[in-house]
């Protein structure tokens, strides 16, 4: 029997499970390792899901006509309209990304750092990830110049890179690649005949909506796949729904012809009741838009407050412009950390915060960085309350930091970070 693919448990999910076990054992822990958005389901979406519970047939493999049309409208309002026939839905953007890698084939360029599953999915697909560093402060997109060098070198060695995966806005850094960098990425991808897979699951969580994250589909529409879903903007991770916008032209037709059969063998069709609710959400009625605006405001308020504790402790932190993620770099104080606590890298920082203070975070090594990198990824999205009542109050609060449970959690982080660099 051949050996299984060399893939470990998702770092975010493994950390969540470990923290849940500690909490069940009576320990006081603060979960800041995963991107689970701790907010309630919007009542209008709950009602539509309940009303659709009787929809128990498989339905079309690429998704219902209503969902695909709604998703096409969602993208059209963002300047990248698409024929609904080029939209493919799946049970979450995560399996969609994996199916896309299978359909595209070849090796995959991934930014460093990048979301924990990109490189793992490439290996599962039988490909090899080709890591390329980002530009400082521009997470989610590999440096276009180094991308060109890496792909040319890989092809000279006989490898076959065919795609580059990007994230705009970015997880893990919470930053956004500049429009100039995105344009350069598009030009290099065209020059090297690469498919761009643009994961835009955080696109609605840019703090300043007047300066949205720029999608590479604006600059290389003939070779850019865009994926998104409702996991982050509407906190519907457990509903598992995602959509992919395939390119125009011959590449889009060929990719659709390969992707739909892959989907038919993996998930048959997305869950019908969820599709009905998702179709409504993607039309962006006023109550959906209002919930996203409130969520975005809450994320920004709490993330910036937590960021202040890291910068006060001497860590470097690029300005966070979206999402609920922080990526502090302790390089400026790593000598002091080594002297006082024997801390030399991100794994050491994560252990210190988790074991001594119950604050669960992830090291930079989980996101493809070198083991010695003294960075961590912090997610603030679970600090909004333990009950639905508290979370609704957090969404409605003019100043979420004035709520006692949020104030206490942020202070807890501050105490842990202060102890780290004291």
């Amino acid at each position: 029997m051949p050996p299984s693919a060399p893939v470990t448990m998702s770092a975010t999910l493994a950390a969540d499970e470990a923290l849940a076990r500690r909490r069940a054992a009576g320990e006081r822990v603060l979960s800041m390792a995963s991107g689970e958005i701790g907010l309630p389901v919007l009542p209008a979406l709950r009602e539509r899901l309940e009303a659709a519970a009787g929809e128990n047939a498989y339905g079309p493999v690429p998704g219902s006509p209503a969902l695909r049309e709604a998703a096409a409208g969602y993208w059209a309002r963002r300047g990248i309209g698409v024929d609904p026939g080029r939209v493919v839905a799946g049970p979450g953007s995560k399996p969609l990304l994996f199916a896309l890698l299978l359909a595209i084939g070849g090796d995959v360029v991934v930014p460093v750092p990048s979301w924990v599953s990109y490189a793992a999915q490439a290996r599962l697909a039988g490909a090899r990830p080709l890591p390329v560093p980002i530009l400082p402060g521009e997470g989610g997109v590999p440096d276009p110049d180094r991308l060109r060098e890496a792909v040319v070198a890989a092809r000279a060695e006989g490898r076959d890179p065919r795609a580059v995966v990007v994230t705009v806005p970015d997880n893990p850094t919470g930053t956004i690649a500049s429009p100039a960098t995105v344009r350069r990425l598009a030009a290099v991808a065209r020059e090297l005949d690469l498919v761009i897979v643009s994961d835009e699951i955080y696109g609605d969580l840019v703090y300043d909506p007047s300066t949205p994250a720029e999608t590479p589909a604006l600059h290389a529409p003939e070779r850019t796949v865009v994926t998104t879903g409702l996991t982050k903007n509407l906190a519907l991770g457990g509903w598992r729904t995602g959509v992919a916008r395939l390119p125009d032209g011959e590449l889009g037709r060929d990719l659709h012809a390969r992707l739909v059969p892959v989907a038919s063998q993996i998930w048959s069709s997305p869950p019908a009741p969820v599709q009905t609710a998702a179709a409504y959400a993607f039309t962006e009625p006023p109550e959906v838009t209002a919930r996203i605006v409130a969520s975005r405001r809450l994320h920004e308020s709490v993330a910036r407050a937590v960021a202040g504790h890291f910068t006060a402790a001497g860590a470097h932190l690029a300005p966070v412009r979206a999402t609920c993620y922080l990526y502090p770099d302790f390089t400026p104080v790593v000598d002091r950390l080594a002297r006082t606590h024997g801390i030399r890298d991100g794994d050491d920082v994560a252990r210190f915060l988790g074991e001594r203070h119950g604050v669960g975070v992830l090291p930079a090594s989980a996101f493809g960085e070198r083991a010695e990198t003294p960075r961590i990824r912090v997610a603030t999205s679970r600090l909004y309350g333990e009950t639905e009542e508290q979370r609704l109050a957090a969404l409605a609060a003019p100043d979420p930091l004035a709520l006692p449970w949020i104030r206490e959690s942020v202070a807890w982080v501050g105490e842990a970070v202060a102890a780290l660099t004291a």
Side-chain angles (χ1 to χ4, degrees), residues 316-379:
H316 173 73
L317 192 60
V320 178
R321 295 178 52 208
T323 79
C324 52
Y325 300 123
L326 308 172
Y327 202 66
D329 181 354
F330 290 90
T331 299
V333 293
V334 72
D335 290 341
R336 187 198 317 169
L337 298 184
R339 288 195 305 270
T340 56
H341 300 296
I343 290 173
R344 291 175 174 80
D345 55 35
D347 289 78
D348 291 340
V349 174
R351 275 193 293 271
F352 180 94
L353 294 175
E355 294 174 4
R356 298 201 189 185
H357 296 277
V359 177
V361 300
L362 287 177
S365 59
F367 301 93
E369 299 255 40
R370 297 189 308 273
E372 63 270 22
T373 303
R375 301 186 186 107
I376 59 173
R377 203 286 303 268
V378 180

Side-chain angles (χ1 to χ4, degrees), residues 42-142:
L42 185 66
L45 297 181
R46 189 197 308 263
E47 292 164 6
R48 278 159 179 80
L49 184 68
E50 291 172 350
E55 298 177 15
N56 61 343
Y58 283 118
V61 172
S64 71
L67 175 55
R68 287 184 280 121
E69 185 173 345
Y74 171 90
W75 279 308
R77 290 187 291 277
R78 286 152 179 81
I80 52 172
V82 64
D83 184 325
R86 293 290 175 86
V87 176
V88 177
S93 60
K94 192 171 182 178
L96 265 176
L97 286 164
F98 179 56
L100 281 162
L101 297 185
L102 288 171
I104 296 167
D107 291 340
V108 184
V109 179
V110 296
V112 178
S114 63
W115 179 50
V116 299
S117 290
Y118 293 150
Q121 287 192 347
R123 295 187 187 98
L124 278 171
R128 291 167 62 188
L130 184 61
V132 176
I134 64 170
L135 289 165
E138 295 193 48
V141 174

Side-chain angles (χ1 to χ4, degrees), residues 36-46 230-237 239 291-292 295 298 381 384-396:
E36 176 83 46
I37 306 295
L39 292 172
V41 176
L42 185 66
L45 297 181
R46 189 197 308 263
L230 306 176
T231 300
K232 306 302 179 181
N233 61 355
L234 288 167
L236 297 176
W239 286 21
R291 168 58 67 89
I292 292 172
S295 301
L298 175 59
S381 53
Y384 306 146
E386 295 295 327
T387 66
E388 183 164 323
E389 181 182 17
Q390 287 183 340
R391 292 166 177 169
L392 288 172
L395 280 168

Side-chain angles (χ1 to χ4, degrees), residues 269-293:
S269 63
V274 174
Q275 289 188 76
T276 296
Y280 179 76
F282 276 119
T283 63
E284 300 182 285
E287 64 269 30
V288 166
T289 301
R291 168 58 67 89
I292 292 172
V293 169

Side-chain angles (χ1 to χ4, degrees), residues 204 227 318 336:
D204 291 334
T227 66
R336 187 198 317 169

Side-chain angles (χ1 to χ4, degrees), residues 214-240:
E214 193 149 307
T215 173
L218 290 173
H219 308 292
E222 82 288 355
R223 63 184 57 255
T224 301
V225 178
V226 178
T227 66
T228 192
L230 306 176
T231 300
K232 306 302 179 181
N233 61 355
L234 288 167
L236 297 176
W239 286 21
R240 309 311 304 138

